[in-house]
Amino acid sequence: MLTTRRTLLQASLALPAAGLLPRVAAAADPFKVGFIYVAPIGDAGWTFQHDLGRKALEASLGAAVKTTFVENVPEEGADAERVIRKLATEGHSLIYTTSFGFMEPTLKVAAKFPKVKFAHCTGYKRAANVSTYSARFYEGRYLTGLIAGRMTKSNVIGYVAAFPIPEVVQGINAVLLAARTVNPNVTIKVVFVSSWFDPGKERAAADTLISQGADVIMHHTDSSAVVQGGEEKGVWSFGYDSDMLRYGPKTNLTSVTMHWDDYYIDQTKAAMAGSWKSDDTWGGLKTGMVKLGPLNAAVPESVRAEVTAATAKIEAGTLLPFAGPIKDQAGAVKVAAGKSLSDGEILGMNWFAEGVQGKLG
Amino acid sequence: MHELEIAVAILVATLRAATPLVLAGFGELIAERSGVLNLGVEGMMLMGASVGFIGTVATGSPIIGLLLAMLAGAALAMVFGVLTLSLMANQVATGLALTIFGVGFSALVGVKWIGIPLEGIATDIWPSLSSSSPIVQQLMLLDPIVWLAVLVPFLIHRFIYRTRAGLVLRAVGESHDVAHALGYSVLKIRYLAVAFGGAMSGLAGAYLSLAYTPMWSENMVAGRGWIALALVVFSTWKPAWLALGSLLFGFVTIAQFQAEALGLALSPHLLAMLPYLATIVVLVLISRDATRLKLNAPAALGRPFHATA
């Protein structure tokens, strides 16, 4: 069940020999589902949440499915394509590729295996046998922005970000817009560390932001280093991807968490029943794909009530995080009052809202 | 006052960021000065990071954790030593294999220890100074390994240029045949140098998992081993320049974050390049004389030694 790239390599070396063995095919062969992960599963973070989804799938469908995962597959180079093709040739009927950088390799392999179904996470290119899926992370970010706006004393929020891409920019803008609804003086300082996973750099960036006056820090990277840094310096923090409370029992206010369980179960069931269709899924608070982790005891009752109310409104569709009026950093109106950004505009977001201090591109 | 505080914050952060590069870099410097090119630094650092973390959590003592990390790094280096020195395997290929092995093995060893929060190495080693000014306090919050990393360049410079053992080490790295003819045991000296390099890499890795970001996570060294290796070459095997290069790399990384947080209107892509760019430019400038570079490189670097007489 556990397949790493190393054991895959060994397996491919052993293939010629395996071909000589008599094949024991049974009618009750389980439905094989493959998962490609960009990072080690670890204990928290993006890949960890996807693996929770895989486990939920196994628990839900039992012996009817057999899942395989390959972790730590690099986005660069030819590795991803090779690993995806390997899973396809091994008889996996449905393959989830769980990182943006797997987009082209997934499409390439999918074109050669029309009967195999693929689902690519956070991408925008589809094909007859390639679906895409992602979550409205920014809805969770909006809720953390409300809390941050109430908790900050210095009115400076520090944000450790990986790369200036729309998915990251959405989160930063959502936090700022939410925070300003409860505290108009809030500004956000952004530091890009140019890596999804480098605990040392993430921590150094957090320390820098704290030294420049941030008293609430959050991150869009994959380790828990920022939350740990907040705990050590006594500064409020928010986690991302997974619940990170144990890294900051005193100062971690909550985490924005991702949940792929239902999506994996529904899609796999559809593929088994033959009703699977290529489409795009973008879930949020309403579908439970994005949730807020448990709130720290330090969050006051009044703020909890605000968060609960905002959650209900976002789920009902009456509160849109990117509703106007919104100005960009130069003061130009990006979204007029009474209007709101379309999904397409949100997916392509490449500007910072007024109050964000940082530069894109 | 505010500017001064930011300056101290930058200084402290620079020292912390440079520490793993200094420790691993100076370990590798000794190995290369003896004529052995070990490209396995990243792998040895990862072993040190995981073993150091496990040792500290299991025994509750960071000192034992650090010692185990150094042992783990040295043990891995010894595997490299047996293969390249005794069995005369190709050093480049073996070093690369060592890194790949270290990445995988550290992950395997550490898999049960992921996600355990750790207090980290105590920093209040000078409690009597805790009442002084906030700036002194900031400096005093640096952990003991950082202070060790401040000392290491001076100690190793002294060892290489001012001691008999350092002279012998250099002789082995320049011409192993001559050193052999003079009666020195080339293999023994190289084994010691390689083991020292491994122990220092292990310590550098353990610094990351015990002090810099107290946690264990697969691949957490994130390429610092490769940067340390590059710094050794770009510094033309000179201790002073190696120390300078490490500090410069750490400083520009931190300065980049400070510039972004201050809101300087610079592209994040450009800023992300800066540490690499600045370090390469400076080190290329100070070593631009090709003949001097050739003179500085240990002449026997990467060449296997086989006693013929």
Side-chain angles (χ1 to χ4, degrees):
Chain A
M1 199 181 68
L2 183 143
T3 316
T4 66
R5 269 192 299 148
R6 289 174 287 279
T7 54
L8 262 185
L9 275 174
Q10 286 163 6
S12 58
L13 291 176
L15 257 192
L20 299 174
L21 296 170
R23 300 202 66 172
V24 195
D29 266 354
F31 187 82
K32 285 174 83 175
V33 184
F35 290 82
I36 313 274
Y37 300 149
V38 69
I41 292 169
D43 65 307
W46 177 255
T47 293
F48 181 76
Q49 297 302 116
H50 282 286
D51 198 56
L52 286 184
R54 182 188 65 82
K55 286 184 181 149
L57 172 65
E58 282 203 329
S60 161
L61 299 184
V65 292
K66 181 177 182 299
T67 68
T68 310
F69 66 86
V70 187
E71 56 179 338
N72 217 0
V73 179
E75 293 184 329
E76 310 84 20
D79 270 5
E81 194 186 324
R82 185 173 53 74
V83 175
I84 298 168
R85 177 176 293 120
K86 180 94 179 102
L87 288 188
T89 50
E90 279 175 347
H92 292 86
S93 310
L94 176 58
I95 297 170
Y96 296 101
T97 55
T98 64
S99 185
F100 179 78
F102 298 150
M103 182 159 72
E104 297 301 337
T106 303
L107 287 161
K108 242 170 145 177
V109 178
K112 299 209 177 86
F113 293 86
K115 283 189 188 145
V116 178
K117 293 165 182 64
F118 297 84
H120 174 235
C121 195
T122 68
Y124 54 86
K125 290 187 185 169
R126 282 169 288 281
N129 59 336
V130 181
S131 278
T132 50
Y133 63 107
S134 185
R136 295 175 190 271
F137 314 116
Y138 65 86
E139 292 183 350
R141 291 285 191 192
Y142 189 89
L143 299 176
T144 63
L146 288 178
I147 306 171
R150 290 288 186 204
M151 300 300 280
T152 180
K153 297 264 191 307
S154 66
N155 293 332
V156 179
I157 297 172
Y159 208 111
V160 178
F163 296 99
I165 59 170
E167 180 193 329
V168 174
V169 174
Q170 288 161 18
I172 297 169
N173 284 342
V175 167
L176 181 99
L177 295 169
R180 287 210 162 176
T181 62
V182 296
N183 179 350
N185 298 320
V186 165
T187 58
I188 296 186
K189 285 178 187 279
V190 182
V191 168
F192 290 103
V193 292
S194 303
S195 172
W196 286 115
F197 180 83
D198 184 337
K201 269 195 182 177
E202 292 167 43
R203 175 63 192 270
D207 287 351
T208 301
L209 288 161
I210 294 168
S211 79
Q212 292 202 11
D215 66 350
V216 178
I217 50 175
M218 45 182 93
H219 65 107
H220 197 144
T221 47
D222 284 351
S223 90
S224 51
V226 171
V227 172
Q228 242 183 1
E231 184 78 358
E232 207 180 298
K233 303 249 159 124
V235 163
W236 301 123
S237 74
F238 291 94
Y240 194 59
D241 288 325
S242 306
D243 181 16
M244 294 185 173
L245 194 60
R246 67 179 177 285
Y247 291 101
K250 289 199 280 288
T251 54
N252 179 241
L253 293 172
T254 185
S255 301
V256 178
T257 59
M258 265 47 113
H259 304 271
W260 310 102
D261 314 20
D262 292 345
Y263 178 79
Y264 287 151
I265 293 168
D266 291 350
Q267 293 290 306
T268 309
K269 275 185 183 161
M272 291 166 81
S275 59
W276 188 93
K277 275 199 319 285
S278 165
D279 65 358
D280 179 42
T281 306
W282 206 19
L285 288 172
K286 191 178 165 189
T287 57
M289 219 178 233
V290 177
K291 286 180 192 163
L292 215 52
L295 296 182
N296 193 302
V299 179
E301 206 49 56
S302 59
V303 180
R304 285 167 192 262
E306 277 179 340
V307 171
T308 312
T311 309
K313 279 190 203 161
I314 291 175
E315 285 178 3
T318 52
L319 193 167
L320 299 168
F322 296 115
I326 305 175
K327 285 183 185 166
D328 69 7
Q329 283 175 311
V333 177
K334 275 303 225 189
V335 187
K339 291 235 164 91
S340 179
L341 289 182
S342 70
D343 280 359
E345 286 166 324
I346 295 172
L347 284 170
M349 193 177 285
N350 60 355
W351 48 272
F352 275 144
E354 188 174 43
V356 178
Q357 189 193 298
K359 196 172 183 309
L360 291 170
Chain B
M1 193 59 199
H2 188 61
E3 285 76 13
L4 190 60
E5 266 169 36
I6 287 195
V8 172
I10 293 178
L11 174 69
V12 166
T14 298
L15 287 174
R16 282 166 54 90
T19 292
L21 303 176
V22 167
L23 295 174
F26 274 88
E28 178 69 9
L29 180 74
I30 290 290
E32 293 195 14
R33 271 302 180 97
S34 82
V36 185
L37 178 68
N38 184 354
L39 296 183
V41 177
E42 179 87 4
M44 298 188 297
M45 284 178 77
L46 276 163
M47 278 311 292
S50 74
V51 170
F53 186 85
I54 295 169
T56 305
V57 173
T59 66
S61 157
I63 304 229
I64 295 178
L66 288 172
L67 287 175
L68 287 174
M70 293 175 75
L71 270 178
L76 207 55
M78 280 294 106
V79 174
F80 173 84
V82 170
L83 291 171
T84 59
L85 299 177
S86 296
L87 303 175
M88 284 191 277
N90 180 293
Q91 291 181 8
V92 172
T94 312
L96 287 174
L98 195 69
T99 282
I100 296 168
F101 175 75
V103 170
F105 195 59
S106 64
L108 180 71
V109 171
V111 78
K112 291 258 179 334
W113 305 83
I114 292 175
I116 298 174
L118 182 74
E119 270 294 316
I121 288 176
T123 51
D124 47 353
I125 41 175
W126 283 288
S128 55
L129 285 168
S130 59
S131 56
S132 42
S133 80
I135 286 168
V136 176
Q137 274 182 37
Q138 274 242 43
L139 281 173
M140 291 305 120
L141 277 177
L142 288 171
D143 52 82
I145 307 178
V146 175
W147 292 114
L148 178 69
V150 170
L151 281 179
V152 158
F154 295 100
L155 295 176
I156 289 194
H157 184 275
R158 200 179 157 72
F159 169 77
I160 290 180
Y161 296 110
R162 295 280 183 274
T163 67
R164 191 180 170 80
L167 184 65
V168 173
L169 178 87
R170 280 187 286 150
V172 169
E174 291 300 333
S175 171
H176 43 221
D177 292 323
V178 170
H180 177 67
L182 286 173
Y184 294 111
S185 170
V186 171
L187 286 190
K188 196 177 109 195
I189 290 162
R190 286 193 172 162
Y191 265 112
L192 284 174
V194 167
F196 178 78
M200 292 292 278
S201 285
L203 181 65
Y207 170 75
L208 291 173
S209 68
L210 294 180
Y212 201 44
T213 48
M215 61 158 118
W216 161 247
S217 180
E218 190 174 324
N219 229 345
M220 67 179 295
V221 173
R224 284 177 181 78
W226 293 109
I227 291 166
L229 261 170
L231 285 171
V232 173
V233 177
F234 278 114
S235 69
T236 65
W237 297 272
K238 297 272 196 201
W241 292 353
L242 177 57
L244 178 80
S246 308
L247 278 175
L248 187 73
F249 190 87
F251 169 73
V252 182
T253 308
I254 300 304
Q256 167 212 338
F257 295 158
Q258 288 282 354
E260 274 187 89
L262 274 174
L264 298 190
L266 292 169
S267 157
H269 301 295
L270 181 76
L271 287 169
M273 280 186 336
L274 268 185
Y276 305 90
L277 215 59
T279 310
I280 290 173
V281 166
V282 168
L283 291 176
V284 163
L285 279 182
I286 56 180
S287 64
R288 66 187 179 284
D289 188 345
T291 21
R292 231 173 57 194
L293 183 61
K294 246 189 201 149
L295 283 177
N296 280 341
L301 186 61
R303 280 173 38 208
F305 173 72
H306 182 59
T308 46

